[in-house]
Amino acid sequence: MLQLIRAWFEICLLRRAPQDLPASGYLLGISLCCYGLVSVLVSSQSYTFGMALLLTVVDLGLLVIFAWSLLYLQSKTARLNQTLSALAGTGSLMGLIALPLLLTIAPDAGTTDPVPASLQSLWLLLLLWNLFIMAHIIRHALSSSFAIGFGISLLYALLNMQVIVTLFSSQVV
């Protein structure tokens, strides 16, 4: 497990690529479970536990559909396990990094005080780094340029946010 976390971390640092992971269904299952657990932890800061579970299922579904569709359209579905393992694993790590920021902001969520600029800057940096990681993974999965990977990762992030806001905006605690 430590080697797996190290591999995800190195992908986050853009030192490794999704093809460096084994094309294993078992690894994919572990990656998706980790992603789901972290997603529930992160989502439960803003939603009830039941809504956080539902949001996680939607988020996981979007991730799987996105990766499969992207690879299917490029006739590269053989790369699905590695691509999804990389996306879910790095997403798990990024979620764990984001959790302390959310915990710092969450106690003040009921007040009208603005979030400090330093926390907003950290959140923005984390979002940008997550986009770079996704772009790196997509670039390798599609054998394309980083610019194409970044454009696709940005499109996915916007689509994901729109679906989540549409389905869950009225459910925030």
Side-chain angles (χ1 to χ4, degrees):
M1 186 67 172
L2 191 58
Q3 287 179 330
L4 180 59
I5 293 170
R6 183 175 291 135
W8 290 339
F9 186 71
E10 288 179 2
I11 292 172
C12 286
L13 296 176
L14 312 182
R15 293 182 185 161
R16 293 180 79 175
Q19 62 265 31
D20 295 331
L21 297 173
S24 161
Y26 178 74
L27 173 63
L28 177 59
I30 289 173
S31 302
L32 291 174
C33 284
C34 288
Y35 184 82
L37 289 173
V38 170
S39 184
V40 168
L41 279 173
V42 169
S43 300
S44 66
Q45 301 309 307
S46 301
Y47 298 93
T48 63
F49 182 73
M51 290 306 297
L53 279 175
L54 184 58
L55 185 127
T56 297
V57 169
V58 169
D59 187 32
L60 269 168
L62 287 172
L63 185 66
V64 170
I65 290 168
F66 163 75
W68 182 84
S69 299
L70 193 61
L71 293 170
Y72 178 79
L73 290 172
Q74 294 294 311
S75 300
K76 297 181 184 207
T77 54
R79 300 178 181 185
L80 183 63
N81 281 4
Q82 292 164 306
T83 303
L84 260 178
S85 293
L87 289 170
T90 58
S92 300
L93 292 181
M94 295 304 287
L96 287 175
I97 293 169
L99 195 55
L101 282 174
L102 287 172
L103 292 173
T104 303
I105 296 169
D108 298 331
T111 67
T112 57
D113 296 338
V115 176
S118 59
L119 289 178
Q120 289 179 9
S121 298
L122 284 172
W123 190 254
L124 181 61
L125 284 172
L126 195 59
L127 175 65
L128 285 173
W129 190 250
N130 195 33
L131 288 173
F132 283 145
I133 293 166
M134 285 187 72
H136 174 71
I137 293 167
I138 292 166
R139 165 184 72 162
H140 284 282
L142 300 180
S143 300
S144 66
S145 70
F146 187 83
I148 289 173
F150 189 79
I152 292 170
S153 67
L154 185 60
L155 182 66
Y156 170 74
L158 292 172
L159 175 70
N160 190 348
M161 284 189 270
Q162 186 61 47
V163 168
I164 298 301
V165 166
T166 301
L167 295 177
F168 298 97
S169 65
S170 64
Q171 306 298 323
V172 176
V173 176

